[in-house]
Amino acid sequence: MYRQSSCLRPAYRALQRTSNSSLAKSFPALSRPSSSRRLYSASTALKTSPTSLLRPVLPSPRIARLSSTPPVRNCSYRRHNMCRTQALADVASGVNVQSRELLPANVIPRHYHVTLEPDFEKFTFEGTVLIDVDVADESKSISLHTLDLEIHSAKVTAGSETISSSVNVAYDEHTQVSTFSFDNAVAKGTKAQLEVSFTGQLNDKMAGFYRSTYKNPDGSEGIMAVTQMEPTDARRAFPCFDEPALKAEFTVTLIADKKLTCLSNMDVASESEVQSKISGGPKKAVTFNKSPLMSTYLVAFVVGELNCIETNDFRVPVRVYAPPGQNIEHGRFSLNLAAKTLAFYEKVFGIEFPLPKMDQIAIPDFAQGAMENWGLVTYRVVDLLLDEKVSGAATKERVAEVVQHELAHQWFGNLVTMDWWDGLWLNEGFATWASWYSCNIFYPEWKVWQGYVTDSLQRALGLDSLRSSHPIEVPVKRADEINQIFDAISYAKGSCVLRMISTYLGEDTFLEGVRRYLKKHAYGNTQTGDLWASLAEASGKSVEEVMQVWTKNIGFPVVTVTEKGDNTIGLKQNRFLRTGDTKPEEDQVIYPVFLGLRTKEGVDESLTFDTREADFKVPSDDFFKLNANHTGLYRTSYSPQRLEKLGVAAKQGLLSVEDRAGMIADAGALATSGYQKTSGVLSLLKGFTTETEFVVWNELIARAQSVQMAWLFEDEAVRDGLEAFLRDLTCAKAHELGWEFTENDGHIQQQFKAMLFGNCGLSGDETIIKAAKEMFAKYMAGDKSAIHPNIRGSVLGMALKHGGKEEYDAILNFYRTSTNGDERNTALRVLGRAKDPELIKRTLDLIFSGEVKDQDIYMPTAGLRGHPAGVEALFTFMTENWDRLVEKLPPALSMLSTVVAICTSGFTKPEQLARVEKFFADKSTNGFDQSLAQSMDAVRSKISWLERDREDVAGWLKENGYLK
């Protein structure tokens, strides 16, 4: 799954290239991902649970409420291997299966036949499911997951014998488990079948089997029925064993009007005419071929009016679907890329794609960026459909990464699946790494590994530098905890760990280990140790011993370098916290640090630093740098003298682009935490004005903006001085490159020009502001060629920042009238730049207006965090509308956590933090507690930073002429 947080990658990048970029780094939710993701959760991305807006589900007379949970199954690893030996192995590997809320192990699901008929008028669906099970223990009950389903009837058969046609059903609301009890026991070793008839809710919460709406070309509203099962919402669609280790085969039948298209994971086996249970009239029943063994969270089906394009460039048909109102030809880029990517992954992974087709579909209401359902990948419209005439280079790169991320999951996640959600990173970390790896192969001119240093790596280090972070392998006990781990740790840090080990082992060896892992565990479930074992087998190195430290512990180290003379450097590692107040008990872990020592002789990847302190020899003390290309997961703290020498080395061409960008990122982060003075970092940034590379400039600007955002509530003169500094930093280069775009501009050059144009103009450059106003006027008058797509967001942002109601109305009308998702998103994101109280209120009112889809409500709100009035208004709005927000965005999904983080993370003062703490003191934070804790930690970090360096920054600004 690509998170709209790990979906918020586009928002993150947009922010990074305009005046709010530091928000994304201090606020992991705006990084993503959540795959698949899904992405960067819109908080650290996006997704939610229980149902206050849904029609109440009334139990039938025979359904009782349970106050206790059903018996707990203690072994979830491989269901066919339910034995004490496996339980002991799990304990030995540090897996606490006994703390998980799991279904009883008395039966094992083997096959489901699910039949569903959606009702587009009542927003419900009628369903039956026949589940074939193996009976592991003599049983008089079967427990499985259900949520918002009204059970009508159930019966149990074994062979030709009906065990019970009168089944009692008891429901445990806490665990979302229905227990089906019957009078006659089913014998151990037999095969049985449970048949259940039910009604479900075709909800509007973007979870389970739900409804999505869209505008038809004639302006009328269309409805389609779609799915999002990950992580635990298959239980909303049909009664099931909703745990990833309980793989089974699935046969799906969809009943619908004959004019509608029906899709599922597999290809169509048959189609027949049937009588509708809902209308009584004739409809079609589309039955799909039986799937391979797979987890419930990967089951998918769609019913709706759809257009389609297809290619036969791959071994099996590849298609893109979209509802009416979307130009299906805009799916051509993703279609062709998917065909090439599937062929590429078959070669890289050494296993053929096992399904008979690959469908991709654009869904108008979708909480994530995309979801990797096997054979039927679902996407946000903007993450699948690309109109290159109205979208910039960054959007194209985003679409390519999302498509390649989801297709990597077809092997890593679908074919081989983590056994439980604490192994989520196995899915998301690998798919994130694979998307960068394949993008680099397909589009070498994009230089994505350079961007990795300022994107995935900084998102990972940013979130993991908070006390409220979590391990890559995070213990998960209950369903309501799962959504919160779709964040920058599972996605970005997971991918960084894989990047680190692939560099250490060598890419070819790493991929050989991956191939062995996939072949050994195909159609099964794994734990992290299984991957390490395959990599160890391929490399001959003790991978698990080294890597489990990185996956089972929170945080990462800062390595402090002391130069001792005689070509010797002393290294010391300590846990790095952004707040700069690491306690001794928090600094117990010793990380195996791959040093990646760069000297004039090249890069030595063999050195590992795995003690608290150690000395290392360097060939010469005139030039060395640790963490070559920044493939290691750590910060490096040099002396001011060494930093100065590295600055000279950069100008001499001795450092790679990744080295330069990473060195700036480290310096900025170390200033935040008190290892260095902020004045020194500002001087470092000022010394890079001759830099020529986009990625390095990206990081220069982001670090300058991080100071701006931490100083957001300081004296206006200081804020103006920081803005003037950013203007001086960027504008000479912006004017040098210009803001005209030609066919000769490459992918990176387009983004470079756009970034400098936006940051220079938004920091007050009169020439660019004048040009932007002229473009804006022509564009809003109907000349769509007046603004190039690469700078559309910046131009609209400048128009609002230096305009008023007239510009606001024009942009809002543009949002309402545009039919292009990318254009509409751009308009939404810039609305928050307006500072007038009346306009701020109008922006916030959009949340409940019905004009903005629930999937997009983070967009207008996020823009408000760029100025003090907006930050204050966000918190006030949240507190005054809390009950409405909870009703609209159920906490167990993920959008509420995104909104909470947006509304609280912009603060910088102790009294503001106290207001946040007081507001939530008497409220349940289940479903977003981790996001809230991370937001407050980010605020604490800014408070500490200001206390240390408030006068230091003021002094530097005055000394450099930015403050009188």
Side-chain angles (χ1 to χ4, degrees):
M1 184 163 68
Y2 206 100
R3 287 301 269 182
Q4 233 345 73
S5 105
S6 150
C7 178
L8 270 189
R9 273 271 296 277
Y12 173 77
R13 284 182 167 173
L15 286 169
Q16 228 183 6
R17 287 158 195 176
T18 61
S19 69
N20 287 340
S21 79
S22 63
L23 300 179
K25 285 187 176 173
S26 64
F27 174 37
L30 284 183
S31 316
R32 274 90 139 190
S34 158
S35 101
S36 197
R37 302 225 336 27
R38 313 113 212 144
L39 149 20
Y40 195 160
S41 288
S43 145
T44 284
L46 303 163
K47 210 176 177 284
T48 343
S49 175
T51 60
S52 34
L53 283 183
L54 302 181
R55 178 176 65 81
V57 177
L58 300 176
S60 65
R62 292 187 295 111
I63 297 182
R65 295 283 171 188
L66 288 179
S67 58
S68 60
T69 57
V72 171
R73 173 164 52 85
N74 290 330
C75 177
S76 73
Y77 181 46
R78 292 185 178 86
R79 186 57 180 260
H80 61 271
N81 201 10
M82 293 178 295
C83 59
R84 188 167 179 274
T85 5
Q86 185 58 53
L88 290 173
D90 287 340
V91 170
S93 66
V95 179
N96 183 9
V97 296
Q98 289 165 345
S99 66
R100 300 171 180 169
E101 287 184 353
L102 301 174
L103 293 170
N106 59 317
V107 297
I108 305 166
R110 295 304 186 193
H111 176 264
Y112 296 76
H113 191 156
V114 182
T115 301
L116 298 172
E117 180 183 359
D119 185 334
F120 290 112
E121 293 184 0
K122 295 181 180 178
F123 302 140
T124 60
F125 56 89
E126 299 299 319
T128 59
V129 61
L130 283 74
I131 310 176
D132 296 312
V133 299
D134 288 348
V135 181
D137 296 303
E138 182 178 83
S139 300
K140 297 183 73 173
S141 69
I142 297 175
S143 296
L144 62 170
H145 293 107
T146 64
L147 181 58
D148 298 329
L149 298 179
E150 183 179 356
I151 307 298
H152 300 307
S153 64
K155 70 175 183 178
V156 179
T157 57
S160 58
E161 179 186 355
T162 299
I163 300 300
S164 178
S165 57
S166 177
V167 176
N168 291 317
V169 185
Y171 186 63
D172 186 320
E173 206 164 6
H174 171 71
T175 58
Q176 301 171 358
V177 170
S178 287
T179 298
F180 296 79
S181 301
F182 32 91
D183 295 333
N184 301 318
V186 184
K188 177 180 179 179
T190 61
K191 295 184 181 298
Q193 186 178 74
L194 172 65
E195 180 178 353
V196 184
S197 173
F198 57 93
T199 298
Q201 305 300 307
L202 203 61
N203 68 72
D204 61 353
K205 299 302 172 192
M206 297 178 286
F209 194 27
Y210 70 94
R211 66 185 187 269
S212 177
T213 61
Y214 57 90
K215 290 289 185 185
N216 283 306
D218 64 3
S220 63
E221 184 176 77
I223 299 177
M224 55 197 294
V226 300
T227 55
Q228 172 59 38
M229 306 302 199
E230 189 178 28
T232 58
D233 288 311
R235 64 192 67 179
R236 293 178 185 265
F238 56 96
C240 58
F241 298 82
D242 203 10
E243 296 169 8
L246 303 185
K247 287 189 170 184
E249 297 170 324
F250 291 84
T251 300
V252 173
T253 297
L254 299 175
I255 299 172
D257 290 343
K258 294 181 180 180
K259 68 175 183 178
L260 300 180
T261 299
C262 297
L263 303 174
S264 189
N265 305 85
M266 297 295 290
D267 55 343
V268 174
S270 65
E271 184 176 316
S272 60
E273 184 176 292
V274 296
Q275 295 301 116
S276 167
K277 286 185 178 180
I278 295 171
S279 67
K283 287 189 176 181
K284 66 178 179 182
V286 180
T287 298
F288 299 87
N289 280 309
K290 185 169 65 177
S291 76
L293 283 171
M294 65 183 196
S295 303
T296 51
Y297 80 87
L298 295 169
V299 176
F301 24 85
V302 174
V303 178
E305 190 175 346
L306 299 169
N307 298 317
C308 174
I309 53 176
E310 181 176 349
T311 179
N312 292 311
D313 287 350
F314 181 55
R315 191 173 41 76
V316 301
V318 180
R319 304 180 190 93
V320 166
Y321 289 87
Q326 299 291 338
N327 186 336
I328 191 63
E329 280 302 317
H330 293 164
R332 189 68 63 180
F333 173 78
S334 295
L335 178 73
N336 294 333
L337 177 61
K340 291 189 294 184
T341 301
L342 287 167
F344 175 72
Y345 284 158
E346 282 193 335
K347 182 177 179 181
V348 169
F349 300 146
I351 299 174
E352 284 193 349
F353 175 69
L355 272 61
K357 55 88 179 177
M358 169 51 68
D359 294 336
Q360 303 179 101
I361 179 169
I363 295 177
D365 297 272
F366 201 70
Q368 316 307 324
M371 175 62 207
E372 69 267 21
N373 315 297
W374 218 356
L376 177 56
V377 180
T378 46
Y379 295 82
R380 278 194 177 212
V381 172
V382 294
D383 288 324
L384 181 67
L385 306 185
L386 177 71
D387 182 355
E388 296 189 60
K389 293 180 180 177
V390 300
S391 297
T395 302
K396 183 176 183 178
E397 187 173 330
R398 156 77 183 187
V399 170
E401 286 179 11
V402 175
V403 169
Q404 294 187 299
H405 179 114
E406 301 311 321
L407 296 183
H409 274 307
Q410 305 302 302
W411 285 264
F412 224 99
N414 298 8
L415 180 67
V416 179
T417 312
M418 75 273 158
D419 82 309
W420 183 246
W421 295 104
D422 53 13
L424 173 69
W425 87 277
L426 280 171
N427 285 9
E428 301 305 344
F430 184 84
T432 301
W433 178 89
S435 70
W436 292 79
Y437 173 75
S438 54
C439 261
N440 187 56
I441 300 293
F442 282 32
Y443 306 103
E445 70 278 10
W446 291 4
K447 300 180 181 178
V448 295
W449 286 124
Q450 292 181 1
Y452 157 90
V453 173
T454 57
D455 191 318
S456 282
L457 180 61
Q458 300 314 315
R459 285 193 291 126
L461 296 177
L463 178 53
D464 214 26
S465 65
L466 297 177
R467 205 171 251 110
S468 49
S469 182
H470 61 81
I472 289 177
E473 291 185 83
V474 58
V476 176
K477 301 175 185 178
R478 305 184 313 274
D480 64 1
E481 297 175 335
I482 297 168
N483 273 297
Q484 296 199 73
I485 65 170
F486 283 84
D487 63 8
I489 299 300
S490 297
Y491 286 76
K493 188 180 180 184
S495 68
C496 291
V497 163
L498 293 172
R499 167 86 163 141
M500 184 167 65
I501 194 66
S502 71
T503 302
Y504 176 66
L505 299 179
E507 208 166 73
D508 291 342
T509 301
F510 174 76
L511 287 172
E512 174 57 27
V514 168
R515 284 188 284 271
R516 295 184 185 199
Y517 168 84
L518 291 172
K519 288 175 182 176
K520 182 175 182 179
H521 302 289
Y523 303 103
N525 296 86
T526 61
Q527 296 172 342
T528 296
D530 295 313
L531 176 60
W532 299 151
S534 293
L535 292 175
E537 184 182 294
S539 66
K541 296 182 179 180
S542 302
V543 175
E544 181 166 10
E545 183 181 335
V546 173
M547 296 311 296
Q548 68 176 354
V549 178
W550 289 104
T551 60
K552 294 185 181 297
N553 293 285
I554 301 174
F556 61 90
V558 53
V559 174
T560 303
V561 182
T562 304
E563 299 185 40
K564 297 187 171 182
D566 193 28
N567 295 347
T568 300
I569 56 173
L571 304 182
K572 182 180 181 181
Q573 63 164 291
N574 300 95
R575 183 180 172 190
F576 178 82
L577 281 178
R578 200 191 304 177
T579 45
D581 59 350
T582 309
K583 298 177 175 63
E585 63 270 21
E586 297 172 317
D587 193 17
Q588 300 297 310
V589 178
I590 302 297
Y591 296 88
V593 177
F594 302 135
L595 288 179
L597 177 65
R598 183 185 295 281
T599 65
K600 288 181 179 178
E601 298 175 5
V603 178
D604 186 347
E605 298 284 7
S606 68
L607 299 176
T608 304
F609 172 38
D610 56 4
T611 57
R612 176 68 70 190
E613 297 185 59
D615 291 343
F616 289 85
K617 286 286 187 181
V618 293
S620 169
D621 63 6
D622 68 330
F623 170 67
F624 70 87
K625 182 188 176 296
L626 300 183
N627 206 1
N629 297 323
H630 284 254
T631 58
L633 208 62
Y634 64 98
R635 300 284 190 197
T636 310
S637 178
Y638 299 102
S639 67
Q641 295 78 14
R642 176 54 55 183
L643 270 178
E644 188 177 338
K645 289 180 180 179
L646 286 171
V648 173
K651 293 176 181 177
Q652 294 173 339
L654 296 175
L655 300 181
S656 68
V657 172
E658 295 92 327
D659 283 332
R660 303 199 300 276
M663 185 175 72
I664 293 164
D666 281 359
L670 291 167
T672 303
S673 60
Y675 278 81
Q676 296 173 7
K677 301 300 288 182
T678 305
S679 57
V681 174
L682 293 173
S683 295
L684 178 69
L685 301 181
K686 193 174 182 181
F688 265 82
T689 50
T690 58
E691 176 60 51
T692 59
E693 292 291 338
F694 163 66
V695 167
V696 182
W697 270 101
N698 197 346
E699 196 60 37
L700 286 168
I701 292 169
R703 292 299 161 180
Q705 290 170 349
S706 69
V707 180
Q708 282 186 300
M709 298 314 299
W711 266 250
L712 191 66
F713 287 91
E714 298 304 295
D715 291 342
E716 188 174 0
V718 173
R719 300 203 313 265
D720 289 346
L722 288 169
E723 185 171 82
F725 167 62
L726 183 60
R727 189 164 59 246
D728 274 5
L729 183 68
T730 58
C731 287
K733 196 69 176 176
H735 286 280
E736 176 192 329
L737 294 182
W739 43 91
E740 297 291 330
F741 296 86
T742 71
E743 293 181 358
N744 294 327
D745 289 328
H747 179 81
I748 291 177
Q749 187 72 354
Q750 291 183 55
Q751 295 179 75
F752 198 1
K753 286 183 174 181
M755 178 182 68
L756 289 168
F757 170 85
N759 281 281
C760 176
L762 287 164
S763 61
D765 182 81
E766 293 296 338
T767 303
I768 286 181
I769 292 170
K770 182 174 182 291
K773 286 181 175 180
E774 291 172 356
M775 292 182 214
F776 180 81
K778 292 178 183 177
Y779 193 76
M780 291 305 171
D783 180 4
K784 296 304 181 186
S785 65
I787 304 177
H788 192 278
N790 285 324
I791 57 173
R792 185 171 55 231
S794 296
V795 170
L796 269 58
M798 284 179 232
L800 263 185
K801 183 174 180 179
H802 301 285
K805 183 176 182 298
E806 182 181 343
E807 288 78 12
Y808 188 95
D809 288 341
I811 293 171
L812 187 57
N813 183 63
F814 175 64
Y815 167 74
R816 289 167 172 164
T817 56
S818 174
T819 58
N820 179 271
D822 193 25
E823 288 182 334
R824 285 166 57 82
N825 287 355
T826 301
L828 270 188
R829 286 191 178 109
V830 302
L831 288 176
R833 289 194 179 277
K835 299 178 184 179
D836 180 272
E838 179 191 342
L839 299 180
I840 290 174
K841 182 180 183 302
R842 288 177 62 186
T843 298
L844 290 168
D845 285 345
L846 287 171
I847 290 177
F848 295 118
S849 69
E851 274 196 84
V852 177
K853 287 179 175 289
D854 286 358
Q855 67 168 12
D856 296 328
I857 63 173
Y858 68 90
M859 292 184 188
T861 54
L864 287 165
R865 295 182 310 144
H867 50 88
V871 172
E872 286 287 359
L874 281 167
F875 184 71
T876 300
F877 172 84
M878 181 192 74
T879 57
E880 292 178 351
N881 294 276
W882 181 250
D883 291 341
R884 292 180 72 190
L885 282 169
V886 172
E887 184 180 27
K888 185 177 181 65
L889 308 171
L893 301 179
S894 67
M895 186 63 76
L896 184 63
S897 65
T898 297
V899 171
V900 167
I902 288 172
C903 292
T904 58
S905 62
F907 286 144
T908 68
K909 292 181 173 293
E911 59 269 25
Q912 293 171 327
L913 179 63
R915 285 161 56 197
V916 177
E917 292 171 334
K918 181 179 178 182
F919 178 76
F920 285 105
D922 61 350
K923 292 176 176 58
S924 170
T925 59
N926 287 346
F928 63 90
D929 56 313
Q930 189 170 69
S931 177
L932 176 61
Q934 290 165 358
S935 178
M936 292 196 295
D937 267 0
V939 175
R940 291 186 187 101
S941 168
K942 287 181 279 188
I943 291 170
S944 300
W945 189 7
L946 282 159
E947 288 174 350
R948 282 191 308 268
D949 282 0
R950 180 178 280 112
E951 298 306 319
D952 177 61
V953 167
W956 186 90
L957 290 172
K958 188 171 184 179
E959 183 182 327
N960 285 271
Y962 297 113
L963 187 64
K964 293 181 181 179

